[in-house]
Amino acid sequence: MAEDWTVMRVLDWTRDKFEAEGIDNPRLDAELLLSAALGMPRIQLYARFDQPLTAEEREATRSLVRRRLEREPVAYILGRKEFWSLDLAVDDQVLIPRPDTELMVERALDRIPKGATSKVIDVGTGSGAIALAFKTERPEADVYGADLSASALEVARQNAERLGLALSFVQADLLPPEPRRFDLILANLPYIPSREVDGLMPEVSLHEPRLALDGGENGLEPIERLVVQLPERLAPGGFVLLECGPTQTDAVAGLLEERSLTASVYEDLGGLPRLVEARQRGAPTTTGSSSTKAAST
């Protein structure tokens, strides 16, 4: 009698296949895909480890595994990604939110205290991850999300509606014309040099939107265009936070200093310089105490 394809056997086979193909986190990916195919939480896989899969369940699992072997990111296969403890819908029209980008949310919360009346914009909002995380913690803030991609904005709008958060979304190339000034401008813009995009890991180069990756010849073209706008768009004492590559922070800080903005650099979770902050001269902006990130679920 042929051996049954039990939950554990399928899980082990999938892990080994992913590992042989050089896929990162093979065990985790196998668990996530199998739990999705079976419609059960990951923890249930081990509670029902000896349960044989039905023919329909095996086919559903094969379909998801096949997509992962084609190097499609798990977030796109599942249609969701957690960010700041928010369960966000994602598809191939938006960049998958990265854990390191939560640093931007943490710094943003330090700059806008609870209860403050403020205008905040997330430029290049994509799935809306940064804007939605900030709005969750500062519901009284007037938060905008801007993006050049209409399809990305639709994903962001749907996330906001599902989470019950009231934000304003606008299609724009960088900053929209109105409102004129913001207390806080957040931007995780494309910063990969054009010549390097095709050489990124296949999950990124083959599946994530090039519009959200390609920063032009030097990788800084979108950031350079945004920096030019900042003196006229930041409120007095207002802040801007820009995410960029570890080798780019000095250049970005220099661009900001050229516009008479005082710049600082912060490290990401891996200890690499990643986030550049600058402040508009003018009346002081009250800052809140250091904020604690929402616990992961």
Side-chain angles (χ1 to χ4, degrees), residues 110-121:
D110 282 344
R111 295 311 179 195
I112 304 294
K114 291 183 179 181
T117 300
S118 59
K119 278 188 170 63
V120 178
I121 188 166

Side-chain angles (χ1 to χ4, degrees), residues 51-130:
Q51 174 183 309
L53 272 64
T54 66
E56 292 78 10
E57 289 170 338
R58 291 199 302 272
E59 180 54 37
T61 302
R62 275 194 293 267
S63 176
L64 299 184
V65 170
R66 191 177 302 116
R67 291 171 64 181
R68 187 67 187 102
L69 290 172
E70 293 172 353
R71 306 306 287 264
E72 184 176 355
V74 170
Y76 289 158
I77 296 172
L78 301 181
R80 65 180 188 274
K81 179 68 175 180
E82 183 182 286
F83 182 84
W84 200 263
S85 297
L86 301 177
D87 189 24
L88 301 177
V90 295
D91 62 22
D92 61 5
Q93 299 303 303
V94 300
L95 197 71
I96 298 169
R98 269 64 168 179
D100 281 328
T101 302
E102 292 191 355
L103 174 63
M104 180 176 290
V105 180
E106 293 176 350
R107 295 302 307 173
L109 294 174
D110 282 344
R111 295 311 179 195
I112 304 294
K114 291 183 179 181
T117 300
S118 59
K119 278 188 170 63
V120 178
I121 188 166
D122 174 23
V123 182
T125 194
S127 66
I130 295 171

